[in-house]
Amino acid sequence: MQLSARRAVIAGASGFIGARLVHELSARGYELRIVGRSGPVSWADQPAIDEAVNDAELLINLAGKNVGCRYSDAARNEILRSRVDTTRMLHRAVAAAGHPPKLWLNASTATIYRHAMDRPNTESNGEIGEGFSVDVARNWEQEFLAGELTATRRVALRMAIVLGDGPASQKLLGLAKWGIGGPQIDGWWPAHRRYRGIGPEPTGPEKSGYYPTRGQQRFSWIHIDDVIGAIWHLIEHSEIRGPVNLSSPHPVTNTELMSSLRRVAGRRFGIPAYRWMLEPAMFVLRVEPEMLLKSRWVLPETLEGSGYEFKWPELNPALADVAK
């Protein structure tokens, strides 16, 4: 049977970004093949993955365990494995294809960059950081960009925290609604090993430390509409390849973030959350404090340089849209 020339393969389509992509691609006439734990194409079936990828026009991989959790040893290992192993399987399928996809978009994360207070990170001048989250991203991208796939253009989507109907937005709004919507202020806390490096070449210290940022750590973000918009932009701009930052051109400080969240949540005041207060709250939310305490300062140099126009460049309107 002749398969559609406009087939798109999406791996990891169960999250809120994947669900939105499925809708958008279907609306634009793509025949979709979904790869996931429960199928229709299963990760346990490499031949089926090979068949789905061969003759596809577009491959998008969003697979990976949600990082909105506590970094137990089991969770740490699964966060890494679920990204590297699935990317490796897709890489094998692309390499073996007689007619490989023209474009492969693979999720990554802007967390790959260092804790930055002095200047922003772009694709051209960004500095890779160290520790668990960075090692996950580094190993993930290494697997994705390995080897020669001359017929397939590859783009690593270094996404900032995505605002939309997803877990990150809901947990951030929850902090403001609970009255602890002031700035998050890092400080001493008993050292732990959850953020230590991982993978074949782990980086960073064995035990956690802290940054005296006083609520001025940067928060890089992107609205879900602009994630989708950037993907269409990348599909249309065949000159773009390699890592691309998916982030708003206007990151904010943590203090500005929490002020915006209070406004959206209808809370006039928010207690500043020092590390000793934040740790128990984030334990209840089952997420790691580094989401708010690491300074993620990222700019979308490649997107802006190629003419992409953000629908939601400013935080306040973006949060208002998410909360409505």
Side-chain angles (χ1 to χ4, degrees):
M1 180 179 68
Q2 180 65 39
L3 296 175
S4 170
R6 285 180 57 81
R7 188 198 314 161
V9 177
I10 304 182
S14 59
F16 84 109
I17 298 174
R20 175 74 176 270
L21 265 177
V22 166
H23 173 78
E24 297 279 347
L25 288 166
S26 295
R28 297 202 182 199
Y30 281 87
E31 172 202 340
L32 299 184
R33 300 289 291 274
I34 307 299
V35 183
R37 285 172 295 181
S38 56
V41 179
S42 171
W43 287 117
D45 191 347
Q46 181 74 54
I49 295 172
D50 295 348
E51 187 276 330
V53 168
N54 190 42
D55 280 327
E57 180 179 291
L58 175 65
L59 170 59
I60 302 177
N61 179 27
L62 304 172
K65 174 180 169 56
N66 193 322
V67 296
C69 63
R70 301 293 286 185
Y71 294 167
S72 66
D73 285 353
R76 282 165 43 91
N77 291 334
E78 182 59 16
I79 287 170
L80 179 63
R81 187 210 64 78
S82 63
R83 285 159 172 77
V84 173
D85 287 3
T86 52
T87 301
R88 182 180 298 123
M89 294 178 75
L90 293 172
H91 197 291
R92 289 173 181 166
V94 173
H99 298 92
K102 295 178 182 177
L103 174 61
W104 179 6
L105 302 173
N106 209 77
S108 183
T109 172
T111 300
I112 197 170
Y113 297 114
R114 67 178 175 89
H115 174 94
M117 294 289 291
D118 55 337
R119 65 172 179 81
N121 288 285
T122 67
E123 296 91 341
S124 64
N125 70 7
E127 297 179 42
I128 305 302
E130 61 182 18
F132 170 68
S133 296
V134 171
D135 286 351
V136 169
R138 186 169 49 80
N139 283 278
W140 196 5
E141 288 193 6
Q142 285 176 354
E143 193 66 49
F144 172 52
L145 297 171
E148 293 292 332
L149 299 176
T150 56
T152 300
R153 177 166 61 100
R154 287 174 283 180
V155 179
L157 307 174
R158 289 182 174 174
M159 282 183 273
I161 292 176
V162 180
L163 302 181
D165 188 22
S169 301
Q170 299 311 309
K171 288 175 180 178
L172 288 170
L173 286 167
L175 290 173
K177 291 176 181 178
W178 293 352
I180 50 175
Q184 278 79 43
I185 300 173
D186 207 350
W188 184 87
W189 184 258
H192 58 76
R193 301 177 64 248
R194 298 194 305 275
Y195 300 163
R196 70 192 185 278
I198 196 171
E201 297 179 356
T203 65
E206 182 71 11
K207 293 187 177 180
S208 60
Y210 68 93
Y211 303 103
T213 50
R214 300 182 180 275
Q216 296 304 300
Q217 64 268 31
R218 297 309 199 274
F219 178 81
S220 289
W221 59 277
I222 185 169
H223 191 290
I224 179 64
D225 288 349
D226 282 313
V227 172
I228 303 302
I231 286 174
W232 289 123
H233 183 81
L234 293 168
I235 290 171
E236 293 164 0
H237 284 257
S238 59
E239 76 279 9
I240 301 175
R241 61 183 65 238
V244 174
N245 294 343
L246 268 60
S247 62
S248 161
H250 300 295
V252 297
T253 66
N254 176 265
T255 298
E256 292 168 332
L257 166 68
M258 299 314 297
S259 176
S260 296
L261 287 168
R262 291 196 304 273
R263 187 179 301 111
V264 169
R267 298 290 188 268
R268 295 183 60 187
F269 302 102
I271 300 171
Y274 293 87
R275 183 69 174 265
W276 61 269
M277 302 164 62
L278 185 63
E279 286 278 358
M282 300 301 264
F283 178 81
V284 172
L285 287 170
R286 306 308 299 161
V287 70
E288 289 290 343
E290 77 162 0
M291 181 177 76
L292 294 168
L293 295 177
K294 179 178 178 178
S295 187
R296 294 176 170 89
W297 196 354
V298 180
L299 292 181
E301 178 184 64
T302 297
L303 286 177
E304 288 197 301
S306 58
Y308 180 72
E309 295 184 7
F310 283 81
K311 182 177 181 180
W312 303 99
E314 303 287 347
L315 181 63
N316 286 336
L319 282 176
D321 178 75
V322 167
K324 69 183 180 183

